[in-house]
Amino acid sequence: MSVNVITHPLVQHKLTLMRDKNTGPKDFRELLTEITILMFFEATKDLPLKEINIETPLKAMKSKVLEGKKLCIIPILRAGLGMAEAVLTIMPYVKFGHLGIYRNEETFKPVEYYVNIPYDLEERIVIIVDPMLATGGSAAYAVNLLKDKGAKKIKFLGLVAAPKGIDILQKTDPYVDIYIASIDESLNEKAYILPGLGDAGDRFYGTL
Ligand code: PRP
Ligand code: URA
């Protein structure tokens, strides 16, 4: 297990723009796409490669391609969907599942409302995408559900985490690699991340 805070200047710059309350839904969506692509590079830097024989216009050579089964991307709805769509722009052949979870407003516990997951997770690297890791309840629920469905290697790609969310996810499964752009200070009384960026789903879809 590892916790990777991606400090690349482009990631940090875009995160600042996303946090700003004056950033509207159009810019927020575009920034989420851009930052996800940048962070996805980091989250996939350990993918296995194999050599194949090809010919350039000038010469035969051995060259590297990805090895093994395609990745599976699992967005936690709603806000994770924007991140998953961004991944599709650079890896259009990934497998894609949907996991609908919302937080109960009083208990902050995750409530499942839609699950559509590829059946053959065993041999795939599974990457859960969700911008926010607050109490960690939604991500932990997703990890347990995916393990029940056979996933063996799971990564979590998000933007902003609270220390509690990181802690809960690590306790749920110490083998999940976490990629995040910031670990913020704390949670407020409504379990929102402080300073955070607000409600990611509402900002993405303009449902404020
Ligand atoms: C947000 C966010 C995560 C969850 C994180 O979703 O996108 O899924 O909260 O909080 P947690 O770590 O405390 O579980 P939300 O429940 O607001 O649903 P939405 O994306 O549909 O608005
Ligand atoms: N969900 C969000 O979208 N934002 C938070 O700060 C916490 C949960």
Side-chain angles (χ1 to χ4, degrees):
M1 185 278 313
S2 60
V3 179
N4 304 275
V5 180
I6 301 174
T7 56
H8 191 288
L10 287 179
V11 170
Q12 293 302 315
H13 178 85
K14 288 177 192 297
L15 178 60
T16 298
L17 298 180
M18 294 182 77
R19 288 184 190 273
D20 190 329
K21 67 178 184 183
N22 296 314
T23 299
K26 176 177 181 293
D27 289 336
F28 191 89
R29 280 184 215 123
E30 289 173 1
L31 287 161
L32 185 62
T33 299
E34 293 161 5
I35 202 169
T36 299
I37 290 170
L38 293 169
M39 294 180 69
F40 192 69
F41 278 113
E42 193 64 25
T44 52
K45 72 177 181 192
D46 59 351
L47 291 188
L49 291 169
K50 65 178 179 187
E51 282 196 334
I52 60 167
N53 296 309
I54 58 161
E55 289 181 26
T56 77
L58 299 177
K59 195 174 182 315
M61 70 174 292
K62 287 187 187 299
S63 196
K64 294 184 175 74
V65 290
L66 293 171
E67 184 175 39
K69 292 214 171 204
K70 296 181 185 76
L71 297 182
C72 182
I73 302 298
I74 308 280
I76 300 181
L77 309 182
R78 292 173 298 165
L81 205 46
M83 296 180 74
E85 297 282 353
V87 169
L88 286 184
T89 64
I90 47 167
M91 282 189 92
Y93 297 111
V94 292
K95 288 268 181 172
F96 201 108
H98 291 84
L99 194 42
I101 300 174
Y102 70 87
R103 298 194 314 176
N104 178 294
E105 283 182 6
E106 276 146 29
T107 64
F108 313 124
K109 299 281 180 227
V111 181
E112 172 192 310
Y113 61 91
Y114 184 71
V115 179
N116 191 330
I117 305 290
Y119 65 90
D120 56 346
L121 295 183
E122 284 85 356
E123 293 168 45
R124 301 182 188 281
I125 296 171
V126 177
I127 306 186
I128 300 168
V129 290
D130 187 338
M132 310 307 280
L133 184 61
T135 65
S138 303
Y141 187 94
V143 165
N144 285 329
L145 184 143
L146 293 168
K147 282 167 67 179
D148 282 351
K149 292 192 178 289
K152 302 268 185 290
K153 178 65 200 162
I154 302 176
K155 296 177 180 237
F156 178 89
L157 176 59
L159 290 189
V160 183
K164 180 177 178 189
I166 299 273
D167 188 44
I168 293 294
L169 192 47
Q170 286 183 309
K171 285 186 175 137
T172 300
D173 186 341
Y175 295 104
V176 173
D177 293 324
I178 302 171
Y179 299 85
I180 206 87
S182 175
I183 302 176
D184 278 12
E185 291 160 17
S186 57
L187 297 173
N188 70 9
E189 68 289 350
K190 291 191 169 166
Y192 276 88
I193 300 172
L194 291 177
L197 51 72
D199 188 307
D202 283 344
R203 293 197 62 190
F204 186 90
Y205 289 106
T207 48
L208 293 165

